[in-house]
């Protein structure tokens, strides 16, 4: 089974926009890959005039928010760098058990790369803020520049969502069969240049 | 949805079932994100999972009733399903013709624009290619089902990324009415877009879904920009309780119905709130106007095989209160000149007013009479008929400003206790029945208007006396000179006149406290007042004449009215004294005479 890779369009975001942008993209991807019984939940972004869809699972939402916070922490420690967030879907294969090992193998069948270019004007926020709280970074740019940049980011974010829709419709054969009672395929969220500790398993 | 539990008739049967459910689910997703009335208010509160929700593992809630009627899709899956999302915008051109409204023809224009057209179609392979069941086909419908699950999720998101979702959110989130609405049309055919429309629209085609032996095609043609439509909330007054209802003594009684009607703001799209009958944008809504109801004609789209409208549309509402009020405001507007003349004011009902027959005699039908009476009651004026236009001011709303006819001394001759005196009716051209109506009407007014009973009773009491004065006022025309002697009046008539005059004045002042009435009373006082300078010759001549007549002495009265000097008068007095002394000496009696002033 081949692994389908999708490189999403790069987004130029400010620090305070990271949370909303990542939340939107990650949930959209997971929603298209949660092929079990799902009650969709429509969410309106606060910073942009965009509506996206979640799976309506509180646990899933919590886990994704935790990963987003980890990414933000990494960005704060490594400013002015282009960063990536990778979400991978895999299957668990059991290797031949032996005396010493009982390893399981992961077969990644799909990977999504979210490319972010966090702007230089950022403020370091110590500690964890509430996931739903939006911190507005005033910055030093003029109002017109900020609004133009915000509009451009909204357009780019919308293009990213359309890109996801197009990808999930074009590539379907590689998706594994759905197991009864299973809602989500196993996935993990990583920062390629910094391995995160959290891995989601079924 | 576990496909293993499906009716295992055949693989093709299962595929058909998947395809038909795919069509229904697609329609449900599209309508759920476009038609506010079909969208559940709070989907999270309903946690149960229906059978329809299990299809494609996507819980959407209750299916709209319209979907249950689309059984024809099951009959022929090859027919395309075309879903038109239509933006209906309230037009600005308003018909001012009452006939249009009353006859039911739409007087208000509305523009309809297709802002989205979805096409969902199952394409089967051309004939000649036989599709035989095989082992591969057993899993084919499962693959189709899995791919349909993925596709429907992307469709669910896609519908919320297109521009039409914004106006859907506008309608759904706000409780105020807007000048637009969204309806949909589902059909298996549709009129193609014109070239102009095509240029303004974009198309997005989803990747076809394999549904062996055929494929499922889904595409959407949409308007990328909706800013050209002036979509905004309606600026209508919210329903409110009118505390200063017409007729309250605390309000300005000089209010009247406006002659011009501003119907632009009457009709709204009652999307969320059905206004109470009293919620009107007019200046003076009145409760009696709610009695008139005109069913609103349903506006039908032409050339549409299956059209579904939401309950929010004003087209479908049986009788929006705004338009209802507009309907029966129109008759008022038509009779605006009538109202300008008499300035009717509630809560007096003209049907019980004595003067209303005068004003409503030109009405075309009793219903209109009733309509006018119910919509614009009249204050009960003074009991005037025939000469009412002469004495009653245009403003009926303030009874105190009614100018009553001046009192007449003749009123003393009539019995105040009897309201209907035949003698006073001789110069009144109205039949006596009108007087009777006046009395009964007055009583009826008291019954119908409890709130203003105090004012009514005052009017009623003043009416009885003013009625008599009106009769006498007609008789006043007979007087050529205010100082003429009335041959008929008894000697003590002047005193009785004064007494009755004062009585009438009091009763008049009781009921009418207006400047005009006061002026009328003053004029009457001046007219009936005794002369300021009593002419001694006249006075003495009168008394002397009476005495002379008693004694049988005839005298000529021609000299009484000739201008004379004082010396002449004294000389004449001297001669009279001599005559008196002579008479007394003859009779032997002494009469004490008084020196003239």
């Amino acid at each position: 089974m081949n692994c389908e890779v999708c490189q999403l369009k790069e987004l130029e975001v400010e620090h305070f926009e990271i949370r909303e942008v990542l939340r939107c993209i990650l949930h959209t991807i997971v929603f298209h890959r949660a092929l079990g019984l799902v009650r969709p939940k429509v969410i309106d972004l606060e910073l942009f005039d965009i509506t996206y869809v979640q799976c309506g699972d509180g646990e899933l939402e919590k886990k994704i928010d935790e990963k987003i916070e980890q990414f933000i922490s990494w960005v704060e420690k490594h400013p002015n760098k282009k960063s990536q967030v990778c979400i991978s879907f895999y299957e668990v294969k059991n290797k031949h058990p032996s005396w010493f090992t009982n390893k399981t193998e992961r077969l990644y069948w799909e990977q999504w790369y979210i490319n972010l270019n966090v702007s230089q004007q950022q403020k370091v926020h110590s500690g964890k803020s509430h996931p739903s709280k939006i911190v507005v970074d005033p910055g030093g740019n003029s109002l017109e520049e900020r609004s133009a940049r915000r509009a451009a980011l909204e357009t780019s974010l919308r293009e990213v969502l359309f890109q996801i829709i197009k990808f999930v419709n074009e590539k379907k054969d590689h998706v594994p069969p759905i197991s009864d009672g299973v809602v989500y395929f196993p996935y993990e969220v990583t920062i390629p240049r910094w391995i995160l500790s959290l891995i989601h398993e079924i | 949805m576990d496909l293993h539990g499906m009716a295992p008739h055949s693989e093709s049967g299962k595929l058909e079932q998947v395809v038909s459910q795919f069509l229904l689910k697609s329609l449900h997703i599209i309508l759920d994100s476009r038609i506010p009335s079909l969208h559940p208010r709070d989907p999270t509160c309903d946690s149960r999972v229906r059978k329809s929700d299990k299809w494609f593992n996507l819980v959407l809630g209750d299916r709209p009733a319209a979907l249950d009627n689309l059984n024809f899709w099951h009959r022929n899956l090859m027919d395309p399903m075309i879903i038109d999302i239509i933006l209906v915008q309230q037009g600005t051109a308003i018909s001012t013709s009452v006939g249009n409204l009353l006859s039911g023809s739409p007087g208000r224009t509305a523009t309809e624009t297709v802002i989205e057209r979805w096409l969902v179609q199952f394409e089967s392979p051309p004939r000649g290619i036989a599709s035989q069941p095989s082992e591969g086909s057993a899993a084919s419908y499962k693959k189709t089902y899995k791919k349909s699950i993925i596709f429907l999720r992307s469709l669910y998101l896609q519908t919320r990324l297109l521009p039409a979702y914004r106006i859907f959110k506008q309608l759904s989130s706000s409780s105020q009415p807007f000048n637009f609405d969204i309806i949909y049309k589902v059909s298996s055919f549709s009129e193609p877009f014109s070239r102009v429309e095509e240029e303004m629209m974009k198309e997005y085609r989803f990747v076809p879904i394999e549904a062996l032996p055929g494929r499922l095609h889904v595409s959407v043609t949409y308007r990328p920009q909706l800013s050209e439509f002036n979509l905004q909330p309606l600026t209508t007054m919210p329903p409110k309780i009118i505390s200063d209802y017409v007729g309250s003594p605390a309000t300005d009684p000089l209010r009247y119905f406006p002659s011009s009607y501003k119907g632009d703001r009457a009709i709204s799209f009652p999307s969320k709130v059905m206004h109470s009958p009293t919620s009107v944008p007019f200046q003076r809504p009145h409760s009696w106007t709610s009695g008139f109801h005109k069913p609103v004609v349903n506006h039908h789209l032409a050339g549409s095989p299956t059209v579904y409208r939401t309950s929010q549309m004003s087209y479908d509402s049986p009788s929006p209160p705004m338009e209802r009020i507009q309907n029966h405001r129109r008759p008022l507007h038509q009779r605006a000149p009538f109202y300008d003349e008499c300035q009717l004011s509630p809560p007096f009902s003209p049907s019980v007013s004595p003067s209303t027959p005068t004003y409503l005699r030109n009405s075309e039908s009793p219903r209109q009479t009733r309509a006018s009476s119910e919509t614009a009651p009249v204050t009960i004026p003074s009991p005037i008929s025939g000469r009412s236009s002469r004495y009653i001011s245009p403003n009926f709303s303030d009874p105190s400003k009614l100018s009553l006819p001046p009192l007449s001394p003749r009123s003393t001759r009539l019995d105040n206790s009897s309201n209907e005196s035949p003698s006073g009716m001789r110069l009144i051209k109205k039949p006596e029945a009108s007087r009777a109506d006046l009395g009964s009407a007055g009583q009826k007014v008291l019954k119908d208007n409890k709130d203003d009973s105090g004012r009514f009773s005052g009017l009623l009491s003043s009416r009885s006396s003013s009625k008599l004065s009106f009769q006498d006022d007609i008789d006043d025309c007979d007087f050529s000179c205010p100082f003429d002697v009335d041959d008929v009046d008894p000697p003590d008539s002047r005193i009785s006149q004064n007494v009755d005059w004062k009585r009438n004045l009091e009763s008049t002042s009781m009921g009418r406290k207006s400047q005009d009435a006061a002026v009328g009373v003053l004029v009457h006082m001046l007219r009936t007042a005794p002369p300021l300078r009593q002419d001694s010759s006249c006075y003495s001549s009168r008394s002397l004449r009476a005495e002379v007549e008693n004694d049988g002495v005839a005298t000529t009265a021609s000299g009484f009215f000739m201008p004379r000097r004082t010396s002449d008068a004294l000389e004449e007095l001297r001669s009279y004294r001599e005559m008196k002394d002579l008479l007394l000496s003859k009779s032997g009696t002494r009469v004490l005479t008084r020196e003239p002033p």
Side-chain angles (χ1 to χ4, degrees), chain B residues 248-451:
Chain B
S248 171
T251 60
D252 182 8
L254 296 180
R255 285 182 181 177
Y256 59 91
F257 290 99
S259 59
S260 64
Y261 166 70
K262 296 177 184 177
D264 250 349
R265 302 160 61 189
I267 295 182
S268 66
F269 282 69
S271 59
K272 302 298 181 297
V273 178
M274 290 302 293
H275 299 279
S276 63
T278 58
S279 63
V280 290
F282 309 103
Q283 296 180 0
R284 298 296 296 275
H286 304 281
S287 60
W288 57 87
T289 59
S290 60
F292 291 91
H293 299 273
K294 175 68 179 174
V296 177
V297 176
N298 288 329
H299 296 218
H300 296 283
L301 288 178
S304 152
T306 308
V307 181
Y308 294 89
R309 291 186 179 84
T310 66
S311 59
Q312 298 173 353
M313 285 296 295
S314 65
Y315 303 143
D316 284 338
S317 57
S319 184
M322 308 295 271
E323 189 164 352
R324 187 186 309 147
I325 293 171
Q326 181 191 15
N327 287 333
H328 58 252
R329 287 290 291 177
R330 290 294 187 187
L332 299 179
H333 173 62
Q334 268 196 331
R335 290 194 287 273
F338 160 58
Y339 282 107
D340 290 339
E341 286 177 6
C342 57
Q343 297 292 332
L344 307 178
S345 70
F348 302 88
S349 172
S351 61
V352 296
S353 168
S355 64
T356 48
T358 307
Y359 292 95
L360 296 177
R361 60 180 169 227
N362 292 329
S363 61
E364 298 176 0
S365 67
R367 182 177 180 181
Q368 290 181 352
T369 302
R370 176 174 173 272
S372 63
S373 68
E374 287 196 12
T375 54
V378 191
T379 57
I380 298 178
S382 59
I384 297 169
S385 58
R387 293 178 61 183
S388 58
S389 60
R390 175 177 166 181
Y391 289 96
I392 296 181
S393 69
N395 184 8
F396 272 13
S397 58
D398 186 5
S400 63
K401 295 194 175 182
L402 293 176
S403 61
L404 297 176
L407 295 175
S408 164
R410 287 273 180 109
S411 63
T412 59
R413 294 187 284 113
L414 299 173
D415 187 5
N416 290 333
S417 61
S418 64
N419 293 333
E420 300 178 13
S421 170
S423 62
M425 302 278 291
R426 62 180 181 273
L427 292 180
I428 298 174
K429 295 177 184 178
K430 279 287 183 180
E432 189 174 358
S434 63
R435 294 289 176 184
D437 291 337
L438 175 64
S440 60
Q443 296 300 325
K444 191 174 179 184
V445 165
L446 284 176
K447 287 176 190 174
D448 292 340
N449 299 277
K450 298 180 261 188
D451 293 337

Side-chain angles (χ1 to χ4, degrees), chain B residues 127-201:
Chain B
R127 289 186 179 182
I129 302 175
S131 57
Q132 295 179 356
S134 61
E135 291 184 1
S137 66
S140 65
Y141 76 87
K142 293 182 181 177
K143 284 185 180 178
T144 302
Y145 187 71
K146 184 185 78 176
K147 293 177 181 178
S148 300
I149 293 174
I150 299 172
F151 165 77
L152 289 172
R153 277 161 171 65
S154 64
L155 178 66
Y156 194 92
L157 176 64
Q158 180 86 1
T159 55
R160 282 145 179 86
L161 294 177
L162 293 176
Y165 183 70
R166 277 188 199 147
I167 60 176
F168 162 79
K169 268 201 308 184
Q170 250 184 316
L171 288 174
S172 302
S173 58
S174 177
S175 60
Q176 56 183 346
F178 288 87
N179 65 344
F180 66 94
D181 201 355
I182 302 177
I183 61 175
Y184 68 95
K185 182 185 77 170
V186 182
S187 60
S188 58
F189 66 92
S190 63
E191 293 181 5
F193 291 118
S194 63
R195 186 166 291 180
V196 176
E197 288 174 330
E198 275 186 14
E199 291 174 358
M200 291 191 294
M201 303 188 87

Side-chain angles (χ1 to χ4, degrees), chain B residues 574-593:
Chain B
R574 208 175 291 116
S575 64
Y576 287 154
R577 275 186 181 175
E578 292 174 0
M579 289 173 63
K580 183 190 74 177
D581 292 338
L582 183 64
L583 290 172
L584 288 174
S585 62
K586 285 184 180 181
S587 61
T589 55
R590 291 176 63 89
V591 178
L592 293 174
T593 58

Side-chain angles (χ1 to χ4, degrees), chain B residues 448-511:
Chain B
D448 292 340
N449 299 277
K450 298 180 261 188
D451 293 337
D452 297 299
S453 58
R455 191 154 65 139
F456 271 103
S457 60
L459 284 173
L460 196 59
S461 64
S462 67
R463 198 189 311 143
S464 59
S465 59
S466 61
K467 190 173 32 176
L468 304 173
S469 64
F470 172 70
Q471 301 167 15
D472 299 327
D473 187 51
I474 297 173
D475 300 335
D476 287 340
C477 297
D478 297 334
F479 288 154
S480 60
C481 175
F483 302 109
D484 279 352
V485 176
D486 188 356
D487 297 334
V488 183
D489 291 338
D492 59 346
S493 64
R494 191 175 293 275
I495 297 175
S496 62
Q497 281 180 7
N498 289 337
V499 172
D500 291 334
W501 166 70
K502 284 181 182 175
R503 191 183 305 164
N504 290 335
L505 177 62
E506 289 172 3
S507 60
T508 304
S509 62
M510 243 183 349

